[in-house]
Amino acid sequence: MADISDFQESESEVRVYCRSYPTVFTTGKEHTLSDEDGNEYIDFLSGAGALNYGHNNELLQKILQDYISANGVTMSLDLFTSAKRDFISKFNSTILAPRSMHYKMQFVGPTGTNSVEAALKLARKVTGRFNVVAFTNGFHGVTLGALAATANKKHREATIGALGNVTRFPFDGYFGHNMDSLIYAEGLLSGKGSGIEPPAAILLETIQGEGGINVASGDWLRGLQRLCREVGALLIVDDIQMGCGRTGTFFSFEEHGLDPDVICLSKSISGYGLPMALTLLKPKLDIWRPGEHNGTFRGNNLAFVTASAALDYWRSSEFSDSIVKKGRIIRDSLERTAEKIPLQWVKEIRGKGMVFGFELNAPELAETVVKTAFKSGLIIETCGADDNVLKVMPPLTISEAGLMKGLDILHSSIVKACSIH
Ligand SMILES: Cc1ncc(COP(=O)(O)O)c(C=O)c1O
């Protein structure tokens, strides 16, 4: 049994993920984590989306080791470095140009919430408006600006006041599949009597990750984009969790033909789990004055190095195809599991690419599944406002054998948990 007393005594009560997996991890390789007692775990948590390319990805590790051994610059504020130039050039040639996308890159502080803060501040500066539309169950980070746009009560309650200037609209399907929440949005934003201030931006995830793997339809997303253009608001897509290949394409919105004004990226953009965040903005929006939105750690060159190397996965369609294929394996397995347990426990299975939510009817049941899976060697988290959705999010690079093994553990854990409840 791992000794976790140092953490319990000295680490703040704010810690969270470690509460579900009470052991001390030592090494990570591809889709596997090991602990001090020599146990191995298949990782379906993937650093909450920051490890799309797995732990210590061999291709990236070698390049990182070489860079460090050659005394490559590590920290550089926003000075020009060869590592940053390589990233910029490769991101342009591998990701943006093939998709006919034209954006400037704003390197922000190293976490997702920094990217959202930059996007919101810029939208307000460009439009001269203060209001922003965000959605039910949306999650955008926990610094004040991003938290104002985040819906989850648990996160919002930590802040007394100061969460203003956001109007909340229902996400696609929030009131069930029979109510079109786009009509609601259109009615409120175009009507003169709605009392809603014209928004600087509409901020959304195309699939809500923390909010419960809620998948917006292409029609709904395109409708919102149209609405943005009509009311003079910017469309900001927060692709922090669903970008970098999670849904099968590099950006989560590619299939829907969206043309966002601003795109937020972080989590897996560095490829190696190193801190890095990026805000992409349409060139005409780049009205920042030098240093206006600043931050010390905007030049993590180790992250630039691995981020550039990770882009090699996107040189052909092979990687995308493998995500779609493994996504089918996940869906089939979850559907088989759903057939094996009493109907009253399963609410819905939803997802895309290699991210799926298995919604159970009770949070206690989901918690039992997480605990049972952990004991059997699988790390998986829950999401959704009620923490009742099992989030299946393995590294995109996981082998099919590893994936099936993880899904088997998940299957037996769900079946076992249902039999106890
Ligand atoms: C969609 C989305 N936006 C923003 C964030 C915030 O990122 P970070 O925790 O790195 O600040 C997250 C984190 O889970 C996220 O999923």
Side-chain angles (χ1 to χ4, degrees), residues 15-84:
R15 64 189 190 275
V16 58
Y17 291 102
C18 53
R19 294 176 190 273
S20 303
Y21 325 107
T23 190
V24 181
F25 296 101
T26 49
T27 59
K29 188 69 199 151
E30 297 169 356
H31 56 267
T32 307
L33 273 169
S34 307
D35 71 10
E36 277 181 346
D37 299 324
N39 300 309
E40 292 203 335
Y41 304 87
I42 294 179
D43 186 1
F44 276 13
L45 170 65
S46 296
L51 288 165
N52 281 4
Y53 307 94
H55 294 270
N56 287 305
N57 181 301
E58 214 163 286
L59 302 173
L60 315 189
Q61 189 179 48
K62 176 83 184 68
I63 288 166
L64 182 59
Q65 283 167 339
D66 289 350
Y67 182 80
I68 293 172
S69 302
N71 291 323
V73 172
T74 295
M75 197 285 173
S76 61
L77 298 165
D78 66 6
L79 299 179
F80 297 143
T81 62
S82 53
K84 195 197 310 190

Side-chain angles (χ1 to χ4, degrees), residues 117 143 289 348 389:
E117 292 291 346
T143 49
R289 283 197 297 266
E348 200 174 36
V389 183

Side-chain angles (χ1 to χ4, degrees), residues 98-336:
R99 293 165 179 77
S100 302
M101 291 170 73
H102 304 285
Y103 288 87
K104 287 187 86 175
M105 299 171 212
Q106 181 180 355
F107 299 105
V108 293
T111 68
T113 201
N114 293 120
S115 175
V116 174
E117 292 291 346
L120 294 177
K121 198 191 274 187
L122 183 70
R124 288 176 169 133
K125 189 171 155 62
V126 165
T127 60
R129 300 173 178 178
F130 60 85
N131 191 24
V132 164
V133 168
F135 292 89
T136 51
N137 283 320
F139 184 85
H140 301 287
V142 296
T143 49
L144 286 185
L147 183 57
T150 290
N152 192 296
K153 193 167 169 225
K154 176 175 68 189
H155 294 107
R156 295 178 66 85
E157 271 178 356
T159 305
I160 310 298
L163 298 182
N165 300 334
V166 170
T167 301
R168 185 98 27 212
F169 281 3
F171 194 71
D172 195 13
Y174 184 73
F175 289 117
H177 297 301
N178 293 331
M179 191 201 146
D180 183 355
S181 66
L182 183 61
I183 295 175
Y184 175 95
E186 282 167 345
L188 287 180
L189 286 189
S190 45
K192 286 194 185 122
S194 70
I196 292 175
E197 293 294 330
I202 294 185
L203 167 67
L204 56 83
E205 299 153 88
T206 63
I207 298 178
Q208 297 182 320
E210 299 306 296
I213 316 299
N214 307 312
V215 185
S217 73
D219 283 345
W220 189 81
L221 292 166
R222 282 185 294 274
L224 277 178
Q225 173 166 280
R226 199 177 52 243
L227 188 57
C228 277
R229 308 291 188 251
E230 278 165 21
V231 303
L234 304 189
L235 176 65
I236 305 174
V237 173
D238 177 346
D239 236 6
I240 286 167
Q241 188 159 157
M242 293 302 149
C244 303
R246 183 48 65 186
T247 64
T249 47
F250 186 84
F251 295 108
S252 69
F253 51 82
E254 284 177 44
E255 185 191 25
H256 305 306
L258 294 190
D259 182 24
D261 299 293
V262 181
I263 303 164
C264 299
L265 290 175
S266 185
K267 292 207 188 258
S268 278
I269 187 67
S270 84
Y272 201 70
L274 291 168
M276 176 173 170
L278 176 62
T279 305
L280 301 176
L281 29 132
K282 283 276 167 77
K284 66 170 191 271
L285 301 176
D286 191 17
I287 60 163
W288 290 118
R289 283 197 297 266
E292 211 172 20
H293 188 75
N294 222 334
T296 304
F297 289 106
R298 291 171 300 122
N300 179 356
N301 289 280
L302 305 187
F304 288 138
V305 166
T306 51
S308 302
L311 294 177
D312 283 341
Y313 279 95
W314 298 96
R315 284 189 183 281
S316 74
S317 61
E318 207 180 312
F319 189 51
S320 252
D321 295 344
S322 77
I323 298 168
V324 174
K325 182 169 176 229
K326 284 183 270 190
R328 270 194 226 112
I329 295 175
I330 300 174
R331 187 185 280 279
D332 289 350
S333 170
L334 296 181
E335 281 172 357
R336 273 197 304 276

